[in-house]
Amino acid sequence: MDASLAAVETMSQGSGGKPRLPRIADPVEGKVLDDVWNEPAILGKRPYVAADIPALLDIIQKQARLLQIYTQFSPDRKPPDTARNMVEFQDELTRSHVFKLKAAAAALEAIADFDANLTAEDKTEARLQGLRQMRLGLVEILSGAVVALREPSLKQPNQLLLARAFAENATAIVAGLAPADRQMLARGLQAAEPVLKTEAKKPVSDFVKAAASAPCIGLCRLN
C-alpha cells in the first residue's frame, strides 16, 4: 500500500507542471489504483485481533490521504472545487470509501478483541478513554461513507458498492459501536433511501436491521 499510494501521489503531480489524477478507467493508471485497494494483500482475512490495531489504523490513515488527494484536487492550483471533485472522481472516491469502511470494520473487531482480553486491573480510565477515542475516529469514517452514499449524483454501481460494503461488514461494525452510534448510522442510511436505486436498498435495509437487532455486549457496552 505504501508503494501504490506513493505512485498515486507522484502521478497526481502530472507532467509539465500540470497536475492530474489517475483514473480507474485508464488501463495503466487503473492497475496502480487496484494495488492501493488490494483488500486481500492489504487487509488479509478475519479474525482481526488486538495485535493488528496499529497496522489497521495506519492503513486507514493512508486511505484518508488518498481521499484527500481526490477531494482537494485542483487542476489549475486554485482553491479546489470539492463539490465538483466529488462528482468527477466518484468512481475513485467510492472505492476508497468502501476500502476505508472495510478497514474500519476490521479495526473495530481488533479493538473488541483487545477490550475482551483486558482484566479488571487493566481497565484504567486512561486505557478506556483511549478505546473510546479510537472508536470515535472509526465512527467518523463510517459517517463519511454514509454521507457519500447520500450524494444524489452517485451512480448506481457506486451506490451498490457502498451499500453492499455496509451490509457485508454489518456484524463487525454494529458489534463494536455503542447503541447511540448504531442508531445514528442507521438513521443516516435510511435518509439515503430516497436517492438509492432498488438494488442498493436491500443491503442498506440489511444493515439497519442488524443495527437494531444485534445484542449489546463487549465493546458495545463501553460508553
Side-chain angles (χ1 to χ4, degrees):
M1 182 172 174
D2 288 346
S4 53
L5 179 58
V8 170
E9 290 195 302
T10 299
M11 294 168 72
S12 71
Q13 302 305 312
S15 58
K18 186 174 182 180
R20 66 181 303 279
L21 294 180
R23 307 303 306 270
I24 290 176
D26 184 277
V28 176
E29 297 170 353
K31 290 180 180 178
V32 175
L33 291 171
D34 283 342
D35 285 341
V36 86
W37 297 312
N38 187 335
E39 293 171 24
I42 298 170
L43 289 180
K45 296 180 180 180
R46 289 190 165 96
Y48 299 102
V49 297
D52 298 321
I53 292 173
L56 290 168
L57 295 182
D58 183 59
I59 289 167
I60 290 169
Q61 184 178 37
K62 285 168 180 167
Q63 284 293 326
R65 170 60 186 146
L66 187 66
L67 272 174
Q68 183 184 43
I69 289 172
Y70 280 87
T71 56
Q72 298 297 313
F73 177 69
S74 175
D76 50 13
R77 304 191 188 279
K78 294 180 180 178
D81 186 341
T82 55
R84 175 189 174 278
N85 288 343
M86 288 175 64
V87 177
E88 175 69 17
F89 301 117
Q90 64 170 277
D91 292 346
E92 293 77 18
L93 290 169
T94 297
R95 288 284 297 276
S96 198
H97 276 300
V98 166
F99 194 100
K100 281 181 69 182
L101 188 156
K102 293 179 178 181
L108 282 169
E109 185 176 317
I111 294 167
D113 178 70
F114 179 85
D115 178 64
N117 287 287
L118 289 177
T119 65
E121 294 75 20
D122 290 333
K123 293 186 177 182
T124 63
E125 182 54 34
R127 184 169 280 124
L128 295 179
Q129 185 60 22
L131 293 178
R132 293 186 190 100
Q133 289 299 318
M134 282 192 289
R135 188 173 64 180
L136 177 61
L138 296 172
V139 169
E140 289 174 355
I141 287 167
L142 296 168
S143 298
V146 171
V147 171
L149 186 59
R150 294 207 310 251
E151 169 56 47
S153 67
L154 200 63
K155 295 179 290 189
Q156 182 174 351
N158 291 330
Q159 282 187 352
L160 195 54
L161 278 174
L162 263 175
R164 283 178 173 168
F166 271 106
E168 291 167 1
N169 294 275
T171 300
I173 291 171
V174 301
L177 299 185
D181 290 328
R182 291 179 178 182
Q183 295 164 14
M184 178 195 67
L185 286 180
R187 287 195 300 268
L189 288 170
Q190 288 172 319
E193 288 204 7
V195 301
L196 296 181
K197 304 299 183 184
T198 302
E199 293 82 355
K201 289 185 177 182
K202 184 181 184 304
V204 164
S205 176
D206 289 344
F207 182 93
V208 171
K209 289 176 184 175
S213 62
C216 186
I217 57 177
L219 190 60
C220 171
R221 300 176 64 182
L222 177 64
N223 291 316

